[in-house]
Amino acid sequence: MKKGPGSGACPSAGVPDKITEPNSDDNRSNGASAMEKDVLSSPGELENIQLKPSSETHRKKLCGYLNKLGIRGPIKTWKSRWFIYDENKCHLLYYRTAQDINPLGSIDLSSASFDCKVENDEGVFEIRTPNRVFTLKAISKQAMMYWLQQLQVRRWEFCSAQSRLPVGSSQLVNEPLVGRTNVADDEGFLPPVKTPTEVVGLQAASLPAPQTATALQNISLKHPWTEIQNTVYNICGSKQLWGNDGNVFNFNKFQEHSEQEGEVEVQCTVKETPEDGRMESKLNLFRKAKWMNSSLTEEQPRERNSMDKVNVLQQQMLTLTEEVKSQKELVKLLHKALEAAQQEKRVSSMYLTAAEDKDRLELVRHKVRQISDLTSRLEAVEQEKKELEQIVALRDSHIQELKEHVQLLMEKNHAKQQVIMALTEQRAREHSDSLQEANTITAETLYKQQEEIEHLKDDIDAYKTQNQFLNSEIHQVTRLWTRVAENEKALLMKCAYLQAQNCQMESKYLTVLRKLQETVCGLPSSHAEMVRNLIQEALRWDVKEGADLNLNPVSEYDEYGFMTVPDYEVEDWKLLAKIQALEMKSNNLRSQEAVEKPLRDRWNSIVELSPSAELKSLIRSGIPVEHRQRVWKWIVSQHCSYLPDHYQQLLRQSKSTEHPACRQIELDLPRTLTNNKHFSSPTSQLIPKLRRVLLAFSWHNPAIGYCQGLNRLAAVALLVLEDEENAFWCLVHIVENLMPADYYSDTLITSQVDQRVFKDFLAEKLPRLTTHFEQYQIDVSLITFNWFLVAFVDSLVSDILLRVWDAFLYEGTKVIFRYALAIFKYNEEEILRIHDSVEIYQYLRFFTRMIVDGRKLLNIAFNDLNPFPMKLLRNRRRIHRGELETELCELEQIKAAYVKGRAEQGSRGLEEAVSEEEEEI
């Protein structure tokens, strides 16, 4: 029997929105939701259903029969399935027949790729999803290529509709897939495939489903409940269609609608009335009646005599007989399940009707014995299954060995055939002159060659088609990937912007709390208590709480282990430190795409380092974390000649002989970079490395030995370079190459000279600030002396500090002068607003920690303070060194005169005391 195109005439009506792995509950809901679209609002509308043309006449429904490869353990079988594309979800749903109401499953095409291989059978192609590979087979090569091309187009349209690119995206990505015929022709893409209307589309639903070898082969054992629902639905629909008289062709009720149909596509415009279950059967009745009536109308000219009608009825009878056989098999399975359920019900009834507990206990024991028996049977079956699997594995390995042996024999045979052919050709050439018939090719040989040529041509065409399809697939997937990448980039930029805004809002909130903290004494007690609670809550904010959602982007430590929010003892300073950390994070997030990413791209393009103006500019802008270690090693190697085993010799010497500075080093180790997690604890791994580096340097340079401040320089070198020997040579480079002589001597004479030079530059570059300091008698050397001695360690935040060190290691001490002046210029207006010497000193003590915009500071240091020639710095140092040495000589003379006077005064007092004693005697 030909089944009417129930779901074929309006296929989307019987298809749920999304089905991945149907179960019993899902099938009920899916069936109900599907029928909501098909049920008419009232029974009277059954005869007045609207027939209207499709709004998109050029858009054909993608549906048809395909064979799906089912794998059940080692058994692989092809099963015929009705496939239909869901426009809303970009899913390819598959049913057992076109008349089924519930799908057996679906394939998500939004993230799938398609492939066809020449070595496969004709019409076989694959749909690869992230979770599974579906192998399908079309009836012909043309149908396969049509399915593949249409699935590509539908996937592209769905992805384009789901994601919209931001302004400025490339034209290649925004360009639609269809309509690029020139590109496809030029680049060898697959041309549009003609629609095989006989096997694809709504007309294919009216054809009988492809028959299988056995009746039960096409039934899905994986989805029994769905099969039962579809079977019951089809049976009920068939009974209502036949009516009481059993006449299958009683269609007078629907003749009027079938005559009006013509070439107009039927669209079921229905209202959602899921509670009216009777309308489902009426709608099914209308569908099957309409299809059968239309099929009769089409076949009427060909069935003019009664003999043709009898043949048609016989054919339908055969089809119904096959269908009844399959339904009987299914009914048998249902009977078995029913018997098991009834048996269970009888046992339960006996248990409930038992008069005494002893009888119930006996029933329970009997049930336990049955369960135990079944468990033992199950274990035996499982053991047998394992044995069979082992046997199968052994047979598979044996088959594989046989295949390899056969392959080896085939290769040997092929080699022998080649030898035979070569000998035959040689023999033919030897007798070419004597035998005239050897120069002619027989008809049989020519026919074989022509046949082989035809096969080769077919292979070439197949590979060409495969290549064109794969070109189209790669081209489309690449464009989809580009679209996703650009969307991801836009979302990351938006996320960074929102995070920056979040940091700013949190910073403003903390600033308001700080202002309220200053005025808390004038507030009412309740308000003051509320302010204190809010401040305590703000200080207790744990950055790890929002780690999963990334709501608080401020981490506790940076890449090198420095605390982003210093742990001050004073509550006001804690609040201020948190405000500063949030402001700095906000600035970093805002400059990430505009500044940091182009800078990182420029660094990534540098393969080999060599001194140049471009490299100098890049180093001034800051070295990215991933390149800093490599660049620092290169800078140190350019100025220090590594002596093999020199560092190890110094370590051995420090172990054998204790250096005089060893005690001072041990005292300074716990005080080194206390705001860094790698040095905050005495058990940290970098503490022993730092000790060895300082001891090795004290033996390497006995003139200096050890000076307070070298521990901080070596600690920063260890954090970046990680290897202690590289950190040792970096310390040597700083002390012996970058810093002037006597910078770390006992007198620190050069350090004092630099402070006088800095005052001169401060007066020239920032005259207003210098006048302000002179007015309140502020000596800036009390603040800046430590800056120069340890290159801003423990003064600037880690992010800015390491950028200063990048340029300092490459250019020298001139960078320290630039940044010292830039720090005062950065905070010039704030300092000028303070009119008290004590407050100025308090502000200068911590004002370097309030610098949050590193790019602004860098711009001031290397742009606003120009010109800043090194020659001028050397001249100023020479002048002030001479003045300082003269002053020191005068001090030495005064000191000597004082000591001499004290000595003479002491001797004169001694003589007077002796004379007085003699007089007394």
Side-chain angles (χ1 to χ4, degrees):
M1 162 183 160
K2 287 186 181 180
K3 291 203 173 187
S7 60
C10 189
S12 61
V15 178
D17 289 342
K18 182 177 182 180
I19 296 179
T20 54
E21 294 186 5
N23 52 32
S24 59
D25 295 333
D26 294 339
N27 289 333
R28 293 191 194 100
S29 60
N30 290 336
S33 61
M35 296 308 299
E36 287 177 3
K37 301 179 181 179
D38 291 340
V39 175
L40 298 176
S41 60
S42 64
E45 292 181 10
L46 183 62
E47 297 181 358
N48 298 325
I49 186 168
Q50 298 180 8
L51 302 177
K52 43 182 187 177
S54 174
S55 59
E56 298 180 359
T57 55
H58 67 282
R59 191 62 161 180
K60 296 182 178 179
K61 196 70 178 178
L62 182 59
C63 56
Y65 279 104
L66 292 173
N67 289 330
K68 177 178 174 291
L69 183 62
I71 301 176
R72 198 74 172 178
I75 303 175
K76 299 181 179 180
T77 56
W78 290 101
K79 296 185 177 182
S80 176
R81 295 288 182 261
W82 172 261
F83 284 83
I84 181 168
Y85 176 74
D86 186 0
E87 301 281 352
N88 298 326
K89 300 293 184 180
C90 194
H91 281 201
L92 191 63
L93 308 178
Y94 54 91
Y95 304 75
R96 187 165 65 89
T97 63
Q99 290 75 36
D100 289 347
I101 189 65
N102 288 329
L104 301 176
S106 65
I107 305 174
D108 186 3
L109 302 181
S110 60
S111 57
S113 61
F114 314 113
D115 188 18
C116 63
K117 298 178 181 179
V118 176
E119 56 268 20
N120 291 340
D121 296 338
E122 183 180 1
V124 177
F125 61 98
E126 294 179 351
I127 301 178
R128 298 178 179 270
T129 64
N131 300 324
R132 185 180 171 186
V133 178
F134 294 88
T135 304
L136 307 179
K137 184 176 181 181
I139 194 172
S140 63
K141 180 180 177 181
Q142 181 188 3
M144 176 191 73
M145 300 311 299
Y146 176 80
W147 272 98
L148 287 171
Q149 192 173 66
Q150 289 300 315
L151 291 176
Q152 277 186 336
V153 173
R154 308 300 169 95
R155 179 187 61 186
W156 171 260
E157 292 176 351
F158 179 80
C159 294
S160 301
Q162 291 295 320
S163 60
R164 300 298 180 191
L165 283 178
V167 180
S169 302
S170 61
Q171 184 179 0
L172 176 63
V173 178
N174 287 327
E175 187 177 0
L177 179 66
V178 293
R180 290 173 53 91
T181 55
N182 295 333
V183 177
D185 294 340
D186 295 341
E187 300 184 10
F189 291 158
L190 187 68
V193 181
K194 184 179 179 182
T195 306
T197 55
E198 67 279 1
V199 293
V200 177
L202 299 179
Q203 296 181 4
S206 61
L207 301 176
Q211 298 296 322
T212 55
T214 61
L216 290 176
Q217 181 178 347
N218 204 37
I219 295 178
S220 177
L221 300 178
K222 188 177 180 182
H223 311 96
W225 183 250
T226 305
E227 288 283 358
I228 293 171
Q229 282 185 323
N230 292 332
T231 302
V232 172
Y233 176 81
N234 290 330
I235 292 175
C236 294
S238 300
K239 290 182 178 179
Q240 292 182 9
L241 181 64
W242 297 339
N244 298 327
D245 56 355
N247 187 3
V248 180
F249 300 99
N250 187 13
F251 304 121
N252 296 328
K253 187 176 180 180
F254 308 101
Q255 183 67 29
E256 180 181 357
H257 295 288
S258 62
E259 293 176 355
Q260 294 177 356
E261 192 171 18
E263 296 179 354
V264 178
E265 182 181 357
V266 177
Q267 293 189 342
C268 304
T269 59
V270 298
K271 298 182 180 179
E272 297 181 358
T273 56
E275 68 278 359
D276 192 358
R278 295 175 298 175
M279 296 309 298
E280 296 180 0
S281 58
K282 291 184 178 182
L283 182 61
N284 186 52
L285 175 69
F286 168 73
R287 285 178 174 175
K288 294 192 175 184
K290 180 188 64 178
W291 172 79
M292 289 186 174
N293 195 20
S294 61
S295 61
L296 284 177
T297 304
E298 292 175 358
E299 294 178 359
Q300 189 174 1
R302 293 175 293 178
E303 298 176 354
R304 297 295 183 182
N305 51 62
S306 59
M307 187 62 67
D308 292 340
K309 293 183 180 179
V310 170
N311 291 335
V312 171
L313 291 175
Q314 289 177 351
Q315 182 65 28
Q316 291 180 351
M317 185 181 297
L318 292 175
T319 305
L320 284 173
T321 303
E322 294 295 330
E323 183 69 21
V324 168
K325 288 181 180 179
S326 62
Q327 299 301 329
K328 286 181 179 180
E329 295 290 339
L330 186 59
V331 168
K332 289 180 181 179
L333 294 176
L334 293 176
H335 274 303
K336 291 181 180 179
L338 181 60
E339 290 176 359
Q342 289 176 350
Q343 180 66 24
E344 184 70 21
K345 182 179 178 181
R346 285 194 295 272
V347 173
S348 300
S349 300
M350 291 173 63
Y351 178 79
L352 294 175
T353 56
E356 297 181 359
D357 293 340
K358 184 184 296 184
D359 297 336
R360 293 185 180 182
L361 182 60
E362 183 62 29
L363 289 174
V364 170
R365 288 175 179 174
H366 178 67
K367 197 66 177 180
V368 169
R369 286 194 294 272
Q370 287 183 346
I371 292 173
S372 177
D373 186 26
L374 291 176
T375 303
S376 61
R377 290 182 185 179
L378 179 61
E379 291 177 354
V381 171
E382 289 181 349
Q383 183 64 27
E384 183 180 359
K385 177 185 175 184
K386 291 181 180 179
E387 293 176 357
L388 292 175
E389 288 178 350
Q390 294 177 357
I391 294 173
V392 170
L394 292 175
R395 289 183 179 179
D396 289 342
S397 61
H398 183 62
I399 291 172
Q400 185 64 28
E401 293 177 358
L402 292 177
K403 287 183 178 179
E404 294 177 356
H405 184 64
V406 170
Q407 182 66 25
L408 181 61
L409 292 177
M410 292 177 65
E411 292 177 356
K412 289 183 179 179
N413 187 26
H414 182 66
K416 291 179 180 179
Q417 288 180 356
Q418 288 183 345
V419 172
I420 292 172
M421 290 296 296
L423 293 176
T424 303
E425 291 178 359
Q426 182 180 1
R427 181 73 176 174
R429 286 194 299 269
E430 291 176 355
H431 296 278
S432 60
D433 297 334
S434 58
L435 300 175
Q436 184 178 1
E437 60 275 8
N439 296 329
T440 61
I441 302 175
T442 62
E444 183 179 359
T445 305
L446 182 61
Y447 175 76
K448 290 182 179 179
Q449 290 180 351
Q450 290 178 349
E451 193 176 39
E452 184 178 357
I453 290 172
E454 292 297 328
H455 287 313
L456 292 175
K457 287 182 178 180
D458 293 340
D459 292 342
I460 291 173
D461 293 338
Y463 278 111
K464 183 178 179 181
T465 304
Q466 181 190 22
N467 184 48
Q468 289 176 342
F469 168 74
L470 292 178
N471 287 341
S472 304
E473 179 72 7
I474 292 171
H475 177 68
Q476 188 184 106
V477 170
T478 303
R479 292 164 63 191
L480 291 173
W481 177 84
T482 306
R483 176 188 294 274
V484 172
E486 293 191 11
N487 282 340
E488 182 181 6
K489 180 181 177 182
L491 290 175
L492 288 176
M493 291 178 63
K494 184 178 180 180
C495 181
Y497 176 75
L498 293 176
Q499 286 183 349
Q501 280 190 331
N502 180 49
C503 289
Q504 283 192 342
M505 294 298 295
E506 190 175 343
S507 173
K508 291 177 181 178
Y509 170 70
L510 295 179
T511 304
V512 170
L513 288 182
R514 186 166 177 266
K515 295 295 184 182
L516 290 174
Q517 186 183 26
E518 296 175 357
T519 60
V520 71
C521 297
L523 296 175
S525 59
S526 59
H527 294 175
E529 184 65 23
M530 184 183 299
V531 171
R532 293 191 190 94
N533 292 336
L534 289 175
I535 292 173
Q536 292 297 328
E537 182 182 354
L539 293 177
R540 285 196 303 268
W541 280 347
D542 188 3
V543 296
K544 295 181 180 179
E545 291 179 357
D548 296 336
L549 299 176
N550 204 16
L551 297 177
N552 192 349
V554 180
S555 58
E556 187 176 0
Y557 297 97
D558 64 2
E559 297 86 352
Y560 295 102
F562 289 98
M563 294 180 63
T564 54
V565 182
D567 189 13
Y568 296 124
E569 296 181 358
V570 183
E571 189 175 282
D572 188 31
W573 291 353
K574 289 182 179 180
L575 207 56
L576 192 62
K578 192 148 193 176
I579 293 172
Q580 177 213 7
L582 289 169
E583 289 289 341
M584 182 171 293
K585 190 67 178 180
S586 176
N587 289 332
N588 291 340
L589 288 172
R590 289 180 180 275
S591 63
Q592 186 174 3
E593 289 295 329
V595 180
E596 299 298 334
K597 191 175 183 302
L599 181 63
R600 186 173 286 103
D601 293 339
R602 291 178 63 186
W603 275 106
N604 292 335
S605 64
I606 297 177
V607 180
E608 186 176 354
L609 296 171
S610 59
S612 62
E614 181 185 5
L615 180 63
K616 181 179 179 180
S617 174
L618 283 176
I619 291 176
R620 284 184 172 185
S621 299
I623 305 173
V625 176
E626 60 268 22
H627 296 282
R628 180 167 283 131
Q629 186 180 105
R630 175 174 67 97
V631 177
W632 280 26
K633 287 181 180 179
W634 175 80
I635 292 173
V636 174
S637 65
Q638 291 292 109
H639 299 86
C640 291
S641 55
Y642 284 80
L643 300 177
D645 203 36
H646 178 63
Y647 179 71
Q648 300 300 327
Q649 291 178 1
L650 295 174
L651 290 182
R652 288 192 291 269
Q653 185 177 359
S654 64
K655 289 180 181 179
S656 60
T657 307
E658 183 176 351
H659 196 276
C662 181
R663 183 179 179 184
Q664 186 61 44
I665 292 174
E666 291 297 330
L667 291 175
D668 288 346
L669 285 178
R671 296 179 290 189
T672 303
L673 300 185
T674 56
N675 63 336
N676 190 288
K677 65 179 180 180
H678 299 298
F679 294 99
S680 58
S681 173
T683 59
S684 300
Q685 294 181 355
L686 292 186
I687 293 292
K689 292 184 178 181
L690 179 61
R691 180 187 294 110
R692 290 192 291 268
V693 170
L694 295 176
L695 287 173
F697 181 82
S698 63
W699 286 108
H700 170 78
N701 193 334
I704 296 176
Y706 174 75
C707 175
Q708 287 186 344
L710 296 181
N711 58 325
R712 300 177 187 177
L713 299 178
V716 174
L718 268 175
L719 287 174
V720 176
L721 299 174
E722 297 179 357
D723 182 68
E724 57 183 275
E725 186 173 358
N726 291 329
F728 165 77
W729 288 110
C730 181
L731 182 62
V732 171
H733 171 56
I734 294 172
V735 176
E736 298 181 0
N737 298 329
L738 298 180
M739 294 299 191
D742 299 330
Y743 215 84
Y744 297 99
S745 63
D746 295 337
T747 59
L748 299 175
I749 182 172
T750 312
S751 301
Q752 299 180 49
V753 170
D754 276 357
Q755 293 306 307
R756 298 190 178 192
V757 175
F758 177 71
K759 289 180 180 179
D760 290 348
F761 285 138
L762 188 65
E764 294 176 4
K765 302 293 184 179
L766 303 171
R768 294 170 56 213
L769 194 59
T770 304
T771 304
H772 189 69
F773 286 153
E774 291 174 353
Q775 179 182 354
Y776 293 97
Q777 298 179 353
I778 302 298
D779 185 6
V780 294
S781 62
L782 299 176
I783 305 298
T784 60
F785 185 83
N786 195 52
W787 295 0
F788 284 76
L789 195 65
V790 296
F792 296 104
V793 178
D794 284 340
S795 297
L796 294 172
V797 293
S798 58
D799 183 55
I800 301 175
L801 171 67
L802 292 172
R803 291 182 184 179
V804 173
W805 270 59
D806 294 337
F808 165 64
L809 291 177
Y810 189 73
E811 299 184 45
T813 53
K814 183 176 68 171
V815 173
I816 298 181
F817 282 93
R818 283 183 175 272
Y819 271 100
L821 292 171
I823 289 171
F824 279 104
K825 186 170 179 60
Y826 188 97
N827 298 278
E828 182 179 12
E829 298 300 328
E830 292 291 334
I831 297 173
L832 291 176
R833 282 196 287 267
I834 304 175
H835 300 284
D836 183 76
S837 58
V838 177
E839 292 184 4
I840 291 176
Y841 273 119
Q842 290 179 349
Y843 181 79
L844 294 180
R845 186 181 175 187
F846 292 101
F847 80 122
T848 55
R849 287 284 178 176
M850 301 180 65
I851 298 174
V852 295
D853 194 347
R855 290 293 166 188
K856 178 181 177 182
L857 185 68
L858 184 146
N859 186 59
I860 294 173
F862 293 108
N863 294 326
D864 296 353
L865 297 177
N866 288 333
F868 203 93
M870 191 66 185
K871 183 178 179 180
L872 178 62
L873 178 59
R874 293 194 188 98
N875 292 336
R876 294 287 177 85
R877 277 177 170 170
R878 186 175 60 255
I879 295 171
H880 284 288
R881 186 180 181 88
E883 295 176 356
L884 185 59
E885 288 177 350
T886 302
E887 293 176 2
L888 291 176
C889 288
E890 292 177 356
L891 289 174
E892 288 294 332
Q893 292 174 3
I894 294 172
K895 181 179 178 181
Y898 174 76
V899 172
K900 183 179 180 181
R902 292 285 295 177
E904 291 177 354
Q905 185 179 358
S907 62
R908 190 180 305 114
L910 182 61
E911 290 175 358
E912 291 177 356
V914 171
S915 61
E916 290 177 357
E917 289 178 0
E918 290 177 352
E919 289 178 357
E920 290 178 358
I921 294 172

